[in-house]
Amino acid sequence: MIPRKKHSAGLSLIEVLASIGIATITVGAFTQYAILTAGSRSDADKQRLVKETLLNNVLEIKGNPISSLPAPNQCRIRKYDPLGVFITEWIVTDISNFCGITPDPNYYFVFTRVLPATSISATFSNPTTMKLPQYSNLLVQVNLNSLFKGNNGSTYKDEISIFKR
Amino acid sequence: MRLKHFALNQNGITSLMLTLVICFVSSIFLFNSIEQIDRNRILHVREADTLLLNELTMSAFTVMEAGLARRLWEPPPDAHCLKERSFSVHGSLPNGASWEVDASYNPKTKNYEMVAFGQVNGLKAKYLKYLKVMDASEFLLFSASDRDVQMYRLYNPATPTSLIANDRRIYTKGRVLFSATVDMANPKTDFTGSGAPFPTTYGTILQGDRMQFVGGIQYNTQIVPEPLAPLHETPLFQELLSPYSNSWGSAPITWGQQGGGVAVLTRSFDVATRLKQEFTAPGGITRAEVSRSVYPIALFGGTPPLQAWTGVDSGAYFNDPARSSIFYYTYGGANIFGVRGDYTCFSKADALVNPAGKFCSYSEHFPKGFEKWRKDANLEGVLFTKDAEEIPSPHLNWDNLQALEEDARQCGYVLSAHVGAAQKDCQFWEKNFMTKYRATGGADVCEKVSPLDLDSITFANFNPADLVGGNPNQDLLLRRVVYLKVPTVISQTDAKGLMTAVLGDSAKRKNLSVWIVSEDLLTLQGFQGPADLTSPLDVDPWRIRQIHFNFDTLNPAGSKITPIPLVLLSPEQVHLISPQYIPMDFTKMTAMFPVSGGQIRPERHIRTDYPRQENDGFKYGFRQYNLHDIALITSSKVDPGNPFFLRGLWSSPDSSSSQYILNLCMVSRAGFPQAAEVGYSINSKSILDNPLSLSLNSPIPPIGSNFYKNTPVGEFPLVHTAQVFWHQIVSHPARQESEVTLTGLRIFSEFEPLYPPGSRDLSTPKYVPINGPWDFTFDISHKRFGFDQPWYYQAKAAGNACVEANARWLSPIGAALTDPVAVHPILNEGRYIFSHQNPANTYRNLGGLVGVDMPVIEAGQ
């Protein structure tokens, strides 16, 4: 057995410190990155949650009669907490896209508005004999908008329309 | 500390390198992981976007469907006035999404294949959907409202009523009520049963291979008045009914059921047809063949008298009409009215409104009894109430009418304004008209009616060769729409039928579908063949004269010209008039209905309207009106049991008490005192005093009128009603009405209230017939009467004014001491027995009516 030289055995202090420094810088960089991107990831999660809420609203509308929808001159506002739990709903006559609501970081909103068949943009290949009804409530376009304020202060909006008979 | 401790050695460098590598790899791994997580987040968001796009794309089918529903599910016409095979619709949305639906029509299956496309932000979706169209001809009877559908048999036991559907569907959202009150001369004084003459008892006939009455099935209710005793009925009789009868003038506590006839429900077209024929050609069917098909008078068992409130729903039922007891007796205190009812089973008067109530024959109150009977009658899988899927109910609206008008302008015919031959025909039978006429002091507010000769119509791109069986275009034949915007009368003036000049070939005629769509009043005028132009007053009083519409009267049984398959669509009740109909012009109107002092003071009513009825009602009396190959699509506000308004004088003597006072009033003349003819009461026959001295506008027909024909010279007919009816009654003792027979279809739909500017609400009928004093009030105080019979009314000496206060009951009816009906002139006398027959098997392909959704299928991108 060849005996090792004493100075070549183990780690020197500088080596330990350098390793710790490298590891610290690495972890720090990762942490910094994670902290810097956490807000946008949270917004993305919320964006997805809001879209799922929109989808749930669409499915609910599909399963109920037209009479359950707000009138064409009304807007139904639904309020949800950040976890997607429904809080309340109310009807207003402001039928702008967001029905007079300003974004709030503590809640998000889904707006439902109804367009009569006469306001639906549709073009038939036989426009003289194929038309949309004007004197019945048998067809409507339902516009759903969502609105929330992200962690970075940005306002997120989404929109979906469906037709319903 | 020694310096060498800070020096690098070989192992330290290795460790540092290793640390660097580990940190580097860890960083890459961690950043990759984070990126992967972020990518997954983005994918989830895209996934949610995809789901939302899918919903948009699937919903786009509804746009195409709405366009088709507006057209009643018919494809649009192409340039050759055939059905377009394929067409599309597309659109876009503010968020940048776009969608398109392509539709292909399969004329063999009458299905649409629709493909929907959608895209947004680079995402795409595609779906496939089929839609089945049910042709109007698939239904024999379709009633989409909650309204009850009654099957009436009135008085004549020799006339059955029927719904024989063969393979067509019968569907009513409301209840079906069997309302038979035919004359049955078998009064009972016990509950052992009245016997059941065959086939007359079995005259309500229903047949189909799918019959659904969502509201349920039952016999109609019938009050149980307390029998008179001892003057007119035996005490035993009164005692027998005493636990159930309702004392005169009090609110009812029990119901019986309308009797004098039972309903037979069968799946067999052969049995139903033979049973119906049995009424005119006996010997074709036995009672045993239909016994099990008789709808039960009680859906529980026991021995009569049965009580619904104690009935147990065990699966037993009572459907032997021979053991049913028909009671026929007098009631009403001194008034002495008559009543006929089936009093085999009794129900509480609130049985149909009390949630816990039970009505003897109501299918929904005794489900086990109903199911057992349905099984025994071999009607499982054929007869349904609410235990089968309901059919989507079409609602009609102005969109439908406008779409039909567009079709008419392109490939049919539009009557948008009155033609030159239009005539005034004052609608004196109608409430709104009379209200306006009275309010204007008798001004000419009469509306015109335009005649329409279907042979004068030219359809664009009409190629009769397309109608030949086997022609490749035959499946693509378009319904041809005749659109009427003004009151119109369509007459059959050719003995061989309608449109014989345009299309005389039967093989082609049967393949044409003509829709007559009327925004306003549509009136049909049938044809009376030469053999039926004789009067029963002269020959064959037993033969009921026939009127036909859309029928070859020259060859009724031989090589006839087939009817044109017609569809009549109107929110108003369709009227029928006789071939001899004379319009009520303004001159006749003012003569018959003068106005003074803000009141209409009639000189005559329909029973004495000789200027218009001399060669019509006075000459032919009871008649049979036959409508051939007609699908009637009308408002659910129209009574399904009386789908047509038979306008004019088609009946007169009835079982009402009011006619005795009223008819006498209406033949009274100023300056001619009234007295009874020798041997008669004054109400049955008053002296026809000085008939030669008639004024120009006499209340009574001139001497020589058919009104008096075959009565002793110088005498009125009985009850001052045209003699022809009495003459016919000799051969038909129980007849009180004419008949309407429809060979075709009946469809009753809700009309929606929205309407374009300048139009009207189709859900509210424009024309409201006046049916009595509750609809409109006249003043006939210038008329005179007396009453000298021992029943109904208090005696009055001749010469009393015809005002309600003088028509006093002997016994008050509830709170009513007087009878307003007795002083209300009759404006229309159009009672009829309605019979509905299945049209020939060739009566198909009329045009769509109902669209039935099929599932949506995802079809990739």
Side-chain angles (χ1 to χ4, degrees), chain B residues 82 127 163 216 287 343 359 446 466 488 526 546 635 650 674 710:
Chain B
L82 296 171
Y127 283 90
L163 262 178
R287 184 196 304 261
Y343 297 146
F359 188 78
C446 303
D466 290 340
T488 306
Q546 305 287 310
S635 167
W650 299 88
Q674 294 172 315
N710 289 340

Side-chain angles (χ1 to χ4, degrees), chain A:
Chain A
M1 182 177 178
I2 301 170
R4 284 192 304 177
K5 290 180 181 177
K6 190 176 180 182
H7 71 272
S8 65
L11 297 175
S12 66
L13 180 59
I14 193 166
E15 288 161 354
V16 171
L17 290 173
S19 296
I20 290 171
I22 290 166
T24 304
I25 289 167
T26 305
V27 171
F30 178 75
T31 306
Q32 186 64 24
Y33 174 80
I35 290 169
L36 287 175
T37 58
S40 61
R41 279 200 305 281
S42 170
D43 285 355
D45 283 343
K46 198 186 277 186
Q47 206 176 343
R48 195 187 70 191
L49 182 66
V50 173
K51 283 181 188 291
E52 285 174 358
T53 307
L54 273 179
L55 185 61
N56 287 336
N57 272 267
V58 167
L59 296 176
E60 178 192 325
I61 289 167
K62 280 176 67 179
N64 284 296
I66 288 177
S67 56
S68 68
L69 292 168
N73 57 350
Q74 295 178 329
C75 173
R76 183 178 69 198
I77 302 170
R78 284 185 168 172
K79 186 178 182 181
Y80 298 84
D81 77 5
L83 295 176
V85 176
F86 171 75
I87 297 174
T88 185
E89 71 173 37
W90 67 98
I91 301 278
V92 298
T93 52
D94 183 341
I95 54 169
S96 60
N97 268 7
F98 303 112
C99 307
I101 292 291
T102 52
D104 184 330
N106 297 315
Y107 305 101
Y108 68 90
F109 300 90
V110 171
F111 311 98
T112 304
R113 289 165 301 127
V114 172
L115 294 180
T118 48
S119 300
I120 293 175
S121 169
T123 307
F124 283 96
S125 56
N126 312 50
T128 55
T129 50
M130 286 288 285
K131 297 172 182 174
L132 290 181
Q134 296 184 67
Y135 308 109
S136 68
N137 293 320
L138 294 182
L139 177 71
V140 293
Q141 177 178 321
V142 187
N143 291 340
L144 293 107
N145 293 74
S146 62
L147 176 68
F148 76 89
K149 195 168 192 175
N151 289 329
N152 56 8
S154 301
T155 298
Y156 292 88
K157 306 166 184 173
D158 218 329
E159 181 175 357
I160 172 71
S161 299
I162 61 163
F163 306 103
K164 181 169 175 58
R165 283 188 69 220

Side-chain angles (χ1 to χ4, degrees), chain B residues 524-793:
Chain B
L524 308 181
Q525 186 171 37
F527 188 88
Q528 201 165 329
D532 290 298
L533 287 175
T534 56
S535 171
L537 289 165
D538 300 323
V539 292
D540 302 343
W542 48 270
R543 187 163 59 85
I544 301 297
R545 274 38 173 186
Q546 305 287 310
I547 297 172
H548 294 276
F549 185 81
N550 196 23
F551 190 67
D552 181 356
T553 58
L554 295 184
N555 302 291
S559 56
K560 63 181 181 183
I561 290 181
T562 58
I564 293 283
L566 289 179
V567 176
L568 310 180
L569 189 157
S570 177
E572 299 296 326
Q573 188 173 27
V574 173
H575 285 213
L576 307 177
I577 57 174
S578 71
Q580 300 80 23
Y581 181 82
I582 296 173
M584 177 71 96
D585 61 30
F586 186 60
T587 303
K588 292 188 181 69
M589 179 74 198
T590 51
M592 189 161 162
F593 296 105
V595 181
S596 65
Q599 292 293 328
I600 298 175
R601 304 179 194 279
E603 281 300 314
R604 291 177 293 278
H605 63 168
I606 193 79
R607 291 172 179 164
T608 49
D609 182 14
Y610 59 87
R612 299 171 65 245
Q613 297 300 333
E614 175 59 27
N615 290 306
D616 196 343
F618 290 178
K619 184 173 181 182
Y620 299 109
F622 301 116
R623 278 175 281 186
Q624 183 168 355
Y625 211 117
N626 304 281
L627 303 161
H628 301 267
D629 282 16
I630 286 177
L632 174 69
I633 303 176
T634 191
S635 167
S636 55
K637 298 277 171 65
V638 173
D639 178 0
N642 282 298
F644 299 96
F645 187 80
L646 190 58
R647 197 192 326 156
L649 179 62
W650 299 88
S651 57
S652 188
D654 59 24
S655 55
S656 74
S657 57
S658 57
Q659 62 181 323
Y660 293 99
I661 289 179
L662 175 63
N663 290 357
L664 181 58
C665 285
M666 296 311 292
V667 297
S668 67
R669 293 181 289 158
F672 290 90
Q674 294 172 315
E677 189 71 58
V678 176
Y680 294 92
S681 79
I682 192 171
N683 307 98
S684 294
K685 188 179 282 196
S686 63
I687 289 177
L688 179 53
D689 188 16
N690 196 5
L692 299 178
S693 176
L694 297 179
S695 67
L696 285 176
N697 191 29
S698 169
I700 63 171
I703 298 308
S705 164
N706 285 320
F707 186 82
Y708 311 99
K709 197 167 184 178
N710 289 340
T711 60
V713 175
E715 289 187 15
F716 273 119
L718 277 173
V719 200
H720 311 101
T721 198
Q723 175 63 19
V724 65
F725 297 105
W726 299 115
H727 209 65
Q728 289 177 298
I729 282 173
V730 173
S731 306
H732 304 271
R735 181 179 283 276
Q736 294 191 5
E737 57 281 307
S738 285
E739 294 171 46
V740 173
T741 300
L742 170 67
T743 304
L745 319 171
R746 268 183 296 165
I747 294 163
F748 300 89
S749 175
E750 303 277 359
F751 276 80
E752 294 185 1
L754 293 179
Y755 57 92
S759 295
R760 67 185 179 88
D761 174 0
L762 297 177
S763 67
T764 303
K766 179 179 175 184
Y767 301 99
V768 183
I770 297 171
N771 284 319
W774 37 86
D775 287 330
F776 195 84
T777 305
F778 292 94
D779 179 2
I780 58 168
S781 59
H782 56 296
K783 301 286 188 180
R784 295 290 180 266
F785 83 106
F787 195 84
D788 59 1
Q789 294 177 321
W791 42 70
Y792 304 147
Y793 302 100

Side-chain angles (χ1 to χ4, degrees), chain B residues 204-276:
Chain B
T204 301
I205 308 165
L206 286 90
Q207 180 276 330
D209 59 17
R210 187 179 173 88
M211 300 181 278
Q212 185 174 11
F213 307 103
V214 177
I217 306 168
Q218 68 169 78
Y219 288 95
N220 208 354
T221 57
Q222 169 72 52
I223 188 82
V224 190
E226 185 178 21
L228 289 176
L231 181 61
H232 300 281
E233 304 292 349
T234 67
L236 173 67
F237 193 50
Q238 193 179 45
E239 186 181 327
L240 198 70
L241 282 176
S242 62
Y244 313 104
S245 61
N246 306 280
S247 57
W248 175 243
S250 64
I253 53 169
T254 51
W255 291 115
Q257 298 181 88
Q258 289 200 349
V262 290
V264 174
L265 287 81
T266 175
R267 70 163 71 206
S268 168
F269 178 71
D270 173 61
V271 167
T273 306
R274 284 190 291 129
L275 177 57
K276 189 172 181 197

